[in-house]
């Protein structure tokens, strides 16, 4: 029988035979390039430390300025300091992001660290509210590094390790916030807190808040030196010759070299109009509402914690406020480096974003009820010592549980929104613009958030209105905003889970398939 005659029977046998399906190939995660990541993290650490170290002593500092008519008005002046920072940041952050797309990430990061170093020291010698506002305005000008670092980190990463690497930036922020809050609470007014060491120091007696600011400035110096000597530029300029490309990449090839090989081809930056697609705008809007809710309560917390329990606060001193803000950072490392990357790789960025929003609602609703426990403790002062200790421990356990919910929510939500914005950049040349735009949106929101929360808090504790218009008002309003964001998040397509710059289809296709 000829081969031609055998063909039909062979075809039937092939059809009847079980078809072996290809198993999906799970890409092995690329090892993290710590030689590039470590200096980037060192540079990132300066901003959260210097930003948060003022929180524990902010209430007392404004009280020392002698501008508030009553303690109930202090939140209003605190909001002016927060707002001044956000105004100047909003006016400059887009410039830093786009500038980094042209001249590189490294020079922009170095410039930001030099500015952070200077304004940190200056804030410690402020003796009046106008001077403090001017220094905070200057601090906002140099606060564009966050967007630039997101771009640099995205350029170092690949699809297998991007979630873990992008998680390092919020991890650094949260860890730096823990350290900064502790430094501000422990070392403010050292002449009083450590009379044996600083009791005779005229410098720290006259400038009671200088020491924590000096400590924060040393972190900026460390980041500056590390960046100058160890951080290599991640933006590959299109003017480089094509023969520099890496031929035959292997698993042992450095990740940055692989990224360079992909990026050396000339890539034209997209226009603002083409980048701000309906999908991008939708994500930006949800980010703005989320940022508004978080910022209102994050910047209210140190004022709430220092306010007398009879006015709806906790009545904590600067050291206790610093402790409450710092202890929560212990759980950050595990959530950020272990929990989040696993969830993101299994379920995607969008899933993690929604879960983070869900964690925020119970935290926001339950926080103001702690004032009832603090008021009970204040009224029981001078009674049984054992009872006081037990009740104080109970209050701190509840407070730390709520703060753990807060940090879990923050890590999940903000890490996810950072990754979504990065994923939507159509090319690597547009990363600076995309991250700068996100930072701009957040900065604009942060202009209004302190004024809204500070004014509402001051108004709510001055009047005897029933729940929820009493001291719960700001917290409940934030919970409603988060609920709105959660609903809006279900209109975001799954396409945000992929890094568009490395995908064959432009991001516009994802938007066309949406709805």
């Amino acid at each position: 029988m000829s081969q031609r005659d055998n063909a039909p029977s062979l075809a039937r046998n092939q059809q009847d035979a079980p078809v072996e399906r290809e198993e999906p190939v799970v890409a092995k995660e690329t090892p993290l390039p710590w030689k590039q990541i470590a200096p980037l993290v060192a540079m990132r650490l300066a901003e959260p430390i210097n930003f948060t170290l003022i929180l524990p002593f902010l209430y007392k500092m404004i009280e020392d300025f002698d501008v508030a008519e009553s303690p109930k008005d202090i939140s209003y002046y605190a909001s002016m300091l927060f707002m001044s920072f956000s105004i100047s940041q909003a006016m400059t952050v887009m410039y830093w992001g786009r500038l980094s797309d042209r001249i590189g990430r490294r020079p922009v990061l170095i410039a930001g660290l030099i500015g952070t170093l200077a304004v940190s020291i200056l804030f410690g010698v402020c003796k009046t509210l106008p001077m403090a506002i001017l220094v905070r305005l200057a601090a906002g000008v140099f606060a564009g590094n966050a967007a630039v670092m997101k771009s640099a980190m995205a350029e170092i990463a690949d699809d297998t390790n991007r979630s873990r690497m992008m998680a390092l930036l919020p991890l650094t922020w949260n860890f730096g916030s823990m350290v900064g809050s502790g430094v501000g609470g422990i070392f403010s007014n050292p002449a009083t807190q450590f009379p044996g060491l600083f009791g005779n120091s005229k410098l720290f007696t006259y400038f009671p808040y200088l020491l924590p600011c000096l400590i924060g400035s040393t972190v900026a110096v460390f980041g500056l030196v590390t960046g100058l000597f160890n951080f290599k530029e991640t933006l590959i300029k299109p003017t480089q010759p094509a023969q520099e490309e890496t031929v035959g990449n292997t698993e042992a090839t450095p990740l940055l070299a692989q990224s360079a090989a992909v990026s050396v081809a000339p890539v034209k930056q997209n226009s603002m109009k083409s980048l701000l697609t309906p999908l991008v705008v939708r994500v930006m809007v949800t980010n703005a509402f989320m940022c508004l809710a978080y910022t209102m309560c994050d910047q209210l917390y140190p004022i709430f914690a220092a306010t007398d329990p009879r006015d709806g606060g906790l009545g904590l001193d600067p050291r206790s406020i610093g402790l409450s803000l710092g202890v929560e950072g212990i759980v950050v490392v595990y959530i950020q480096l272990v929990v989040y990357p696993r969830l993101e790789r299994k379920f995607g960025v969008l899933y993690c974003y929604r879960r983070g929003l869900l964690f925020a609602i119970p935290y926001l609703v339950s926080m103001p009820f702690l004032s009832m426990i603090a008021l009970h403790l204040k009224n029981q002062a001078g009674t049984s010592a054992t009872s006081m200790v037990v009740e104080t421990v109970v209050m701190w356990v509840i407070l730390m549980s709520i703060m753990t919910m807060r940090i879990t929510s923050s890590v999940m939500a903000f890490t996810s929104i950072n990754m979504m914005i990065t994923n939507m950049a159509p090319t690597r040349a547009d990363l600076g613009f995309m991250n700068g735009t996100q930072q701009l949106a957040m900065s604009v929101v942060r202009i209004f958030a302190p004024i809204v929360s500070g004014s509402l808090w001051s108004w709510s504790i001055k009047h005897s209105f029933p729940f929820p218009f009493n001291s719960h008002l700001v917290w409940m309003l934030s919970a409603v905003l988060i609920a709105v964001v959660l609903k809006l998040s279900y209109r975001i397509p799954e396409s945000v889970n992929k890094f568009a710059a490395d995908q064959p289809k432009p991001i516009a296709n994802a938007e066309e398939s949406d709805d």
Side-chain angles (χ1 to χ4, degrees):
M1 186 179 290
S2 66
Q3 186 175 359
R4 183 178 299 175
D5 295 333
N6 286 335
S9 61
L10 289 172
R12 283 193 301 272
N13 291 336
Q14 289 174 357
Q15 290 175 357
D16 295 337
V19 178
E20 293 185 5
R21 298 177 181 244
E22 279 190 24
E23 293 294 329
V25 178
V26 180
K28 182 180 179 182
E29 182 175 329
T30 308
L32 300 186
W34 284 107
K35 286 185 178 180
Q36 275 289 84
I37 295 176
L40 197 60
V41 168
M43 289 189 286
R44 176 64 173 143
L45 198 59
E47 187 177 337
I49 288 178
N50 285 282
F51 181 81
T52 58
L53 64 81
I54 75 170
L55 298 180
F57 61 76
L58 185 62
Y59 187 96
K60 188 68 174 65
M61 188 182 201
I62 294 174
E63 195 174 55
D64 292 346
F65 288 158
D66 198 24
V67 292
E69 294 181 4
S70 75
K72 296 180 180 181
D73 295 316
I74 288 179
S75 63
Y76 174 75
Y77 295 100
S79 66
M80 292 176 64
L81 281 177
F82 287 125
M83 182 183 69
S84 60
F85 177 92
S86 299
I87 288 175
S88 55
Q89 185 184 42
M91 294 173 63
T92 57
V93 68
M94 280 292 294
Y95 170 79
W96 291 117
R98 212 49 165 168
L99 181 64
S100 75
D101 285 337
R102 294 197 299 269
I103 68 172
R105 317 301 182 194
R106 187 173 178 273
V108 173
L109 293 174
I110 296 300
L113 282 169
I114 293 173
T116 299
L117 169 62
V119 297
S120 177
I121 298 174
L122 285 174
F123 192 80
V125 298
C126 290
K127 299 295 290 184
T128 64
L129 182 63
M131 182 179 178
I133 290 175
L134 286 174
V135 173
R136 293 295 289 172
L137 282 168
V141 171
F142 296 101
N145 276 4
V148 180
M149 287 179 184
K150 292 172 193 174
S151 302
M153 192 69 83
E155 288 163 338
I156 299 170
D158 64 25
D159 284 340
T160 66
N161 61 15
R162 183 167 286 109
S163 64
R164 191 175 295 274
M165 288 178 62
M166 293 298 290
L168 289 173
L169 293 179
L171 169 64
T172 305
W173 173 270
N174 287 306
F175 179 77
S177 300
M178 174 190 70
V179 174
S181 300
V183 167
I186 294 171
F187 295 102
S188 63
N189 201 1
T192 300
Q193 293 205 69
F194 307 101
L197 291 174
F198 302 105
N200 296 324
S201 173
K202 293 182 179 180
L203 178 66
F204 294 129
T205 300
Y206 188 71
F207 298 115
Y209 310 108
L210 176 59
L211 182 58
C213 293
L214 288 175
I215 296 173
S217 67
T218 61
V219 180
V221 170
F222 175 73
L224 182 60
V225 172
T226 304
L228 282 171
F229 292 101
N230 298 103
F231 183 68
K232 297 179 180 179
E233 181 58 61
T234 62
L235 179 67
I236 307 301
K237 298 181 180 179
T239 54
Q240 293 180 347
Q243 52 264 37
E244 290 183 12
E245 296 184 11
T246 303
V247 180
N249 291 323
T250 66
E251 190 174 335
T253 305
L255 185 61
L256 189 60
Q258 294 180 27
S259 299
V262 175
S263 305
V264 290
V267 179
K268 184 179 179 181
Q269 291 179 338
N270 288 281
S271 66
M272 181 185 299
K273 183 178 180 180
S274 64
L275 289 172
L276 295 179
T277 64
L279 173 58
V280 170
V281 172
R282 187 182 306 169
V283 174
M284 293 284 186
V285 169
T286 63
N287 180 32
F289 278 110
M290 179 189 74
C291 184
L292 177 62
Y294 275 98
T295 304
M296 284 171 59
C297 291
D298 285 353
Q299 298 186 354
L300 176 64
Y301 175 76
I303 306 301
F304 161 76
T307 300
D308 192 293
R310 290 171 295 188
D311 295 325
L314 301 181
L316 302 180
D317 58 27
R319 180 175 290 190
S320 298
I321 295 172
L323 178 64
S324 68
L325 288 168
V327 169
E328 65 179 11
I330 296 174
V331 300
V332 168
V333 176
Y334 181 73
I335 296 171
Q336 196 81 72
L337 292 184
V338 179
V339 176
Y340 184 86
R342 289 179 179 175
L343 289 175
E344 190 278 330
R345 292 194 72 184
K346 185 174 182 180
F347 300 107
V349 175
L350 196 54
Y351 173 90
C352 296
Y353 182 55
R354 292 166 181 163
R355 291 302 173 271
L357 296 174
L358 280 175
F359 271 107
I361 295 174
Y363 140 65
L364 293 167
V365 171
S366 57
M367 179 64 82
F369 285 99
L370 273 179
S371 179
M372 299 171 61
I373 302 177
L375 180 60
H376 175 72
L377 288 173
K378 186 176 179 109
N379 292 334
Q380 295 298 316
T383 60
S384 170
T386 303
S387 176
M388 285 288 294
V389 169
V390 171
E391 291 178 6
T392 301
V393 169
V394 169
M395 190 192 83
W396 273 92
V397 168
I398 297 174
L399 176 60
M400 289 299 98
S401 299
I402 295 174
M403 296 299 274
T404 299
M405 283 193 290
R406 169 194 172 275
I407 200 64
T408 302
S409 166
S410 178
V411 166
M412 298 282 285
F414 280 98
T415 303
S416 299
I417 201 70
N418 289 341
M419 289 191 65
M420 280 194 278
I421 297 296
T422 299
N423 286 349
M424 288 189 297
T427 70
R428 292 173 182 266
D430 297 308
L431 283 169
F433 175 83
M434 294 292 288
N435 287 313
T437 302
Q438 181 209 14
Q439 202 69 33
L440 172 63
M442 293 173 68
S443 299
V444 171
V445 167
R446 285 169 177 162
I447 294 173
F448 301 102
I451 289 295
V452 172
S453 61
S455 300
L456 287 179
W457 173 255
S458 180
W459 176 83
S460 64
I461 64 177
K462 282 181 178 180
H463 300 85
S464 301
F465 291 113
F467 176 87
F469 300 103
N470 52 4
S471 58
H472 294 244
L473 179 60
V474 177
W475 304 97
M476 295 301 165
L477 178 60
S478 297
V480 171
L481 284 172
I482 291 294
V484 171
V485 173
L486 182 59
K487 183 175 178 60
L488 290 174
S489 71
Y490 284 92
R491 297 194 66 234
I492 299 174
E494 297 289 334
S495 59
V496 298
N497 290 330
K498 298 293 184 181
F499 188 52
D502 288 347
Q503 301 300 315
K505 293 182 180 180
I507 194 169
N509 291 351
E511 176 57 29
E512 290 171 2
S513 64
D514 182 30
D515 298 337

